[in-house]
Amino acid sequence: SHHQSIHAPFPLFYLTSHTIHEFTMKLALVATLAASVSAFAPQANNARPSVAVQAENSRRDALSSIAAAGVAILPAAANAAAGESPRFSVFGLIGDGESYSEGAAYGTDQAAKLYSPYSVYGNRGGDALFVEGQSEEITRKKAYIAESQKRLSLLSGYVEKKQWFNVKDELTRYMYETRGAVRGLATTPEQKKIAKSFFQAIEDTSLQATLKNQDKCAAAVSSSIKLLDEFVAAY
C-alpha cells in the first residue's frame, strides 16, 4: 500500500549521485581527522617499557663487568687453601706473626724499629728521607722568600692602578709558600717577632685590597716589604 511504501526502508537505488558523493566526502573527512588525532597522540606508554628494559639490561651489564673486574684483581693469596685456618695478627703479638693485618705486620717483618706500633715505616733517624733543618730544606725556603720579595715589589703598582684583584692574586698565586718558609726559618726570638709582624702586614694588605682602600693598602704593602727585608737580614 501507499502507507507501507512510505515506512519501508529507503532503497539505495533511490539515492542520487550527489547524495552518494556527499556521503563519501564525509566519510573521508572523518577518516582524515581520526588519522590526525592518532598521529598527535602521546607514544610514551609504548616507548616506556622499551626504555626501562634497555636501562635494566645496561645496569645488569655494568654490574657484571664490575664483578668480573673485582674477581680478576683479587690476589691469589686471598684464596685460602682447603682445611687451612684463617690467618690473622693482633699487633703482631697474638696470632700468626707472618700475616698482614690492616696493611701492616706491626714490626714482625722489619729489622729496624718502627716509627709507631701502627706504622709500616721505619723510625726516624739519620737515614730518613726527610730530616728537618737539612741544608736542602733551608735553601728551598730561602728561595721561596727571595721570590716573595719580588712579588711584593709588584703590589705598589697594582694598588696605584687600583687593580685589587692583582693584589689579592699575587698574595695567593705563589706566596702561599711564604708563610711556611718564614715560619720554618724563624728560629730566634727576634726572627719570630719580625715574622709575626710580617704575617699581620700581608693580612692587612689583603683586607684593604678587599675593601678597596687605596691609602691603607699602600701603607700595608710598604710595611710588608720592609718587614720581609728585615727578616732576611736577620738570618
Side-chain angles (χ1 to χ4, degrees), residues 14 20 34 55 70 86 98 114 145 147-148 166 174 177 185 188 234:
Y14 284 130
I20 294 174
E98 296 182 356
L114 296 181
I145 293 177
E147 181 63 25
S148 297
N166 276 330
Y174 176 88
E177 295 283 2
L185 294 176
T188 67

Side-chain angles (χ1 to χ4, degrees), residues 19-30:
T19 305
I20 294 174
H21 178 71
E22 183 179 359
F23 181 72
T24 303
M25 291 296 294
K26 290 181 179 180
L27 287 177
L29 179 61
V30 171

Side-chain angles (χ1 to χ4, degrees), residues 85-110 117-118:
S85 300
R87 301 176 61 191
F88 66 92
S89 172
V90 181
F91 301 112
L93 302 176
I94 303 174
D96 188 351
E98 296 182 356
S99 67
Y100 281 82
S101 179
E102 300 179 17
Y106 301 107
T108 60
D109 62 344
Q110 282 94 348
Y118 309 99

Side-chain angles (χ1 to χ4, degrees), residues 159-176:
V159 174
E160 184 178 354
K161 297 176 182 178
K162 297 183 178 181
Q163 295 179 352
W164 309 116
F165 63 94
N166 276 330
V167 174
K168 299 181 68 175
D169 286 351
E170 203 63 69
L171 292 174
T172 55
R173 182 185 296 118
Y174 176 88
M175 292 184 61
Y176 64 90

Side-chain angles (χ1 to χ4, degrees), residues 57-183:
N57 292 337
S58 299
R59 183 168 55 192
R60 288 178 179 175
D61 292 341
L63 292 176
S64 299
S65 300
I66 294 173
V71 172
I73 64 175
L74 285 175
N79 298 325
E84 185 181 50
S85 300
R87 301 176 61 191
F88 66 92
S89 172
V90 181
F91 301 112
L93 302 176
I94 303 174
D96 188 351
E98 296 182 356
S99 67
Y100 281 82
S101 179
E102 300 179 17
Y106 301 107
T108 60
D109 62 344
Q110 282 94 348
K113 186 178 180 181
L114 296 181
Y115 177 71
S116 77
Y118 309 99
S119 174
V120 297
Y121 301 104
N123 196 12
R124 296 175 63 181
D127 58 346
L129 295 178
F130 173 77
V131 178
E132 189 175 359
Q134 285 183 330
S135 59
E136 293 84 357
E137 179 193 4
I138 294 175
T139 301
R140 184 175 64 255
K141 289 181 178 179
K142 286 183 177 180
Y144 288 149
I145 293 177
E147 181 63 25
S148 297
Q149 289 178 297
K150 297 178 182 179
R151 305 281 177 143
L152 284 176
S153 66
L154 302 174
L155 298 186
S156 297
Y158 295 148
V159 174
E160 184 178 354
K161 297 176 182 178
K162 297 183 178 181
Q163 295 179 352
W164 309 116
F165 63 94
N166 276 330
V167 174
K168 299 181 68 175
D169 286 351
E170 203 63 69
L171 292 174
T172 55
R173 182 185 296 118
Y174 176 88
M175 292 184 61
Y176 64 90
E177 295 283 2
T178 306
R179 185 182 294 269
V182 171
R183 183 177 287 110

Side-chain angles (χ1 to χ4, degrees), residues 145-146 148-149 152-153 155 175 178 181-183 185-186 189-205 218-235:
I145 293 177
S148 297
Q149 289 178 297
L152 284 176
S153 66
L155 298 186
M175 292 184 61
T178 306
V182 171
R183 183 177 287 110
L185 294 176
E190 179 186 2
Q191 290 173 336
K192 292 180 180 180
K193 181 179 179 181
I194 298 174
K196 182 178 180 180
S197 299
F198 171 69
F199 295 154
Q200 292 173 345
I202 59 175
E203 288 168 2
D204 190 34
T205 301
V221 169
S222 299
S223 180
S224 300
I225 295 174
K226 178 183 177 181
L227 288 168
L228 189 57
D229 290 342
E230 291 179 4
F231 181 81
V232 171
Y235 62 71

